[in-house]
Coordinates of all heavy atoms in Angstrom, one line a residue:
E20 N 1.9 -25.0 -5.6 CA 1.7 -26.5 -5.8 C 0.9 -27.0 -4.7 O 1.2 -26.8 -3.5 CB 3.0 -27.2 -5.7 CG 4.1 -26.7 -6.7 CD 3.9 -27.1 -8.1 OE1 3.1 -28.0 -8.3 OE2 4.6 -26.5 -9.0
S21 N -0.2 -27.7 -5.0 CA -0.9 -28.5 -3.9 C -0.9 -29.9 -4.4 O -0.4 -30.2 -5.5 CB -2.3 -27.9 -3.7 OG -3.0 -27.9 -4.9
K22 N -1.6 -30.8 -3.7 CA -1.5 -32.2 -3.9 C -1.7 -32.6 -5.4 O -0.9 -33.2 -6.0 CB -2.5 -33.0 -3.1 CG -1.8 -33.8 -2.0 CD -2.9 -34.5 -1.2 CE -2.9 -34.1 0.3 NZ -4.2 -34.1 0.9
N23 N -2.8 -32.1 -5.9 CA -3.1 -32.6 -7.3 C -3.2 -31.5 -8.3 O -3.6 -31.7 -9.5 CB -4.4 -33.4 -7.3 CG -5.5 -32.8 -6.4 OD1 -5.4 -31.6 -6.1 ND2 -6.4 -33.5 -6.0
Q24 N -2.8 -30.2 -7.9 CA -2.8 -29.2 -9.0 C -1.7 -28.1 -8.7 O -1.3 -27.9 -7.6 CB -4.2 -28.6 -9.1 CG -4.6 -27.8 -7.9 CD -5.9 -27.1 -8.2 OE1 -6.7 -27.4 -9.1 NE2 -6.3 -26.1 -7.3
T25 N -1.4 -27.4 -9.8 CA -0.5 -26.3 -9.8 C -1.3 -25.0 -10.2 O -2.0 -25.1 -11.2 CB 0.6 -26.5 -10.8 OG1 1.3 -27.7 -10.5 CG2 1.6 -25.3 -10.7
T26 N -1.3 -24.0 -9.3 CA -1.9 -22.8 -9.7 C -0.9 -21.8 -10.1 O 0.0 -21.4 -9.3 CB -2.7 -22.2 -8.5 OG1 -3.6 -23.2 -8.0 CG2 -3.6 -21.0 -8.9
E27 N -0.9 -21.3 -11.3 CA 0.0 -20.2 -11.7 C -0.6 -18.9 -11.3 O -1.6 -18.5 -11.9 CB 0.1 -20.3 -13.3 CG 1.4 -20.7 -13.8 CD 1.5 -20.5 -15.3 OE1 0.5 -20.8 -16.0 OE2 2.6 -20.1 -15.8
A28 N -0.1 -18.3 -10.3 CA -0.7 -17.1 -9.8 C -0.1 -15.9 -10.6 O -0.9 -15.0 -11.0 CB -0.4 -16.9 -8.3
L29 N 1.2 -15.8 -10.8 CA 1.7 -14.7 -11.6 C 2.7 -15.2 -12.7 O 3.4 -16.2 -12.5 CB 2.6 -13.8 -10.6 CG 1.8 -13.0 -9.6 CD1 2.8 -12.4 -8.6 CD2 0.9 -12.0 -10.2
K30 N 2.6 -14.6 -13.8 CA 3.5 -15.0 -14.9 C 4.2 -13.9 -15.6 O 3.5 -12.9 -16.0 CB 2.6 -15.8 -15.9 CG 3.4 -16.6 -17.0 CD 2.4 -17.3 -17.9 CE 3.1 -17.8 -19.1 NZ 4.0 -18.9 -18.8
D31 N 5.5 -14.0 -15.7 CA 6.3 -13.0 -16.4 C 6.0 -11.6 -16.0 O 5.8 -10.7 -16.9 CB 6.1 -13.3 -17.9 CG 7.3 -12.7 -18.7 OD1 8.4 -12.5 -18.1 OD2 7.1 -12.4 -19.9
V32 N 6.0 -11.3 -14.8 CA 5.7 -10.0 -14.3 C 7.0 -9.2 -14.2 O 7.9 -9.6 -13.4 CB 4.9 -10.0 -12.9 CG1 4.8 -8.6 -12.3 CG2 3.5 -10.6 -13.1
S33 N 7.1 -8.1 -14.9 CA 8.2 -7.2 -14.8 C 7.8 -5.8 -14.7 O 6.9 -5.3 -15.5 CB 9.1 -7.3 -16.1 OG 9.6 -8.6 -16.3
F34 N 8.3 -5.1 -13.8 CA 8.2 -3.6 -13.7 C 9.2 -3.0 -12.7 O 9.8 -3.8 -12.0 CB 6.7 -3.2 -13.4 CG 6.2 -3.7 -12.0 CD1 6.5 -3.0 -10.9 CD2 5.4 -4.8 -12.0 CE1 5.9 -3.4 -9.7 CE2 4.9 -5.2 -10.8 CZ 5.2 -4.5 -9.6
D35 N 9.3 -1.7 -12.7 CA 10.2 -1.2 -11.7 C 9.4 -0.2 -10.9 O 8.3 0.2 -11.2 CB 11.5 -0.5 -12.3 CG 11.1 0.5 -13.4 OD1 9.9 0.8 -13.5 OD2 12.0 1.0 -14.0
V36 N 10.0 0.1 -9.7 CA 9.3 1.0 -8.8 C 10.3 2.2 -8.5 O 11.5 1.9 -8.3 CB 9.0 0.3 -7.4 CG1 8.2 1.3 -6.5 CG2 8.2 -0.9 -7.7
K37 N 9.8 3.4 -8.7 CA 10.7 4.6 -8.5 C 10.7 5.1 -7.1 O 9.6 5.0 -6.4 CB 10.2 5.7 -9.4 CG 10.0 5.3 -10.9 CD 11.4 5.1 -11.5 CE 11.1 4.8 -13.0 NZ 12.4 4.4 -13.7
K38 N 11.8 5.6 -6.6 CA 11.9 6.1 -5.3 C 10.8 7.2 -5.1 O 10.7 8.1 -5.9 CB 13.3 6.7 -5.1 CG 13.7 6.9 -3.6 CD 15.2 7.0 -3.4 CE 15.4 6.9 -2.0 NZ 16.0 8.1 -1.4
N39 N 10.2 7.1 -3.9 CA 9.1 8.1 -3.5 C 7.9 8.1 -4.3 O 7.0 9.0 -4.1 CB 9.7 9.6 -3.5 CG 10.9 9.7 -2.7 OD1 11.9 10.2 -3.2 ND2 11.0 9.2 -1.5
E40 N 7.7 7.2 -5.3 CA 6.5 7.2 -6.0 C 5.3 6.5 -5.3 O 5.5 5.7 -4.4 CB 6.7 6.6 -7.4 CG 6.5 5.1 -7.5 CD 6.3 4.6 -9.0 OE1 5.5 5.2 -9.7 OE2 7.0 3.7 -9.4
F41 N 4.1 6.9 -5.7 CA 2.9 6.2 -5.3 C 2.5 5.3 -6.5 O 2.0 5.8 -7.5 CB 1.8 7.1 -4.9 CG 0.8 6.5 -4.0 CD1 0.7 6.8 -2.6 CD2 0.0 5.5 -4.5 CE1 -0.3 6.2 -1.8 CE2 -1.0 4.9 -3.7 CZ -1.1 5.2 -2.3
L42 N 2.7 4.0 -6.3 CA 2.4 3.1 -7.4 C 1.1 2.3 -7.1 O 1.1 1.6 -6.1 CB 3.6 2.1 -7.6 CG 3.4 1.1 -8.7 CD1 3.4 1.7 -10.1 CD2 4.5 0.0 -8.6
G43 N 0.1 2.4 -7.9 CA -1.1 1.6 -7.7 C -1.1 0.3 -8.5 O -0.5 0.3 -9.6
I44 N -1.6 -0.7 -8.0 CA -1.7 -2.0 -8.7 C -3.2 -2.4 -8.7 O -3.8 -2.5 -7.6 CB -0.9 -3.1 -8.1 CG1 0.6 -2.6 -8.2 CG2 -1.1 -4.4 -8.8 CD1 1.6 -3.6 -7.6
V45 N -3.8 -2.5 -9.9 CA -5.2 -2.8 -9.9 C -5.5 -4.0 -10.7 O -4.7 -4.3 -11.7 CB -6.0 -1.5 -10.4 CG1 -5.7 -1.2 -11.9 CG2 -7.5 -1.7 -10.2
G46 N -6.5 -4.8 -10.3 CA -6.8 -6.0 -11.1 C -7.9 -6.8 -10.4 O -8.2 -6.5 -9.2
P47 N -8.6 -7.7 -11.1 CA -9.7 -8.4 -10.6 C -9.3 -9.3 -9.4 O -8.1 -9.7 -9.3 CB -10.3 -9.2 -11.7 CG -9.2 -9.3 -12.7 CD -8.3 -8.1 -12.5
S48 N -10.3 -9.7 -8.6 CA -10.1 -10.7 -7.5 C -9.4 -11.9 -8.0 O -9.8 -12.5 -9.0 CB -11.4 -11.0 -6.9 OG -11.2 -11.8 -5.8
G49 N -8.4 -12.4 -7.3 CA -7.7 -13.6 -7.7 C -6.6 -13.5 -8.7 O -6.0 -14.5 -9.2
C50 N -6.3 -12.2 -9.2 CA -5.3 -12.1 -10.2 C -3.9 -12.1 -9.7 O -2.9 -12.1 -10.5 CB -5.6 -10.8 -11.0 SG -5.1 -9.3 -10.2
G51 N -3.7 -12.2 -8.4 CA -2.4 -12.3 -7.9 C -1.8 -11.1 -7.2 O -0.6 -11.0 -6.9
K52 N -2.7 -10.1 -6.8 CA -2.2 -8.9 -6.2 C -1.6 -9.1 -4.8 O -0.5 -8.6 -4.6 CB -3.4 -7.9 -6.0 CG -4.1 -7.5 -7.3 CD -5.2 -6.5 -7.2 CE -6.4 -7.0 -6.3 NZ -7.1 -8.1 -6.9
T53 N -2.2 -9.9 -4.0 CA -1.7 -10.2 -2.7 C -0.4 -11.0 -2.8 O 0.6 -10.7 -2.1 CB -2.7 -10.9 -1.8 OG1 -3.8 -10.1 -1.6 CG2 -2.1 -11.3 -0.4
T54 N -0.4 -11.9 -3.7 CA 0.8 -12.8 -4.0 C 2.0 -11.9 -4.4 O 3.1 -12.0 -3.9 CB 0.5 -13.8 -5.2 OG1 -0.7 -14.5 -4.8 CG2 1.7 -14.6 -5.4
L55 N 1.7 -10.9 -5.2 CA 2.7 -9.9 -5.7 C 3.3 -9.2 -4.5 O 4.5 -9.1 -4.3 CB 2.1 -9.0 -6.7 CG 3.0 -8.0 -7.4 CD1 4.2 -8.7 -8.1 CD2 2.2 -7.2 -8.5

Side-chain angles (χ1 to χ4, degrees):
E20 306 281 348
S21 56
K22 249 181 244 148
N23 41 23
Q24 65 174 18
T25 303
T26 309
E27 244 189 325
L29 293 171
K30 193 179 166 67
D31 200 22
V32 170
S33 299
F34 61 83
D35 54 9
V36 183
K37 308 289 185 188
K38 197 159 192 246
N39 307 129
E40 88 166 308
F41 199 112
L42 179 69
I44 298 179
V45 67
S48 183
C50 74
K52 302 183 295 298
T53 296
T54 304
L55 184 56

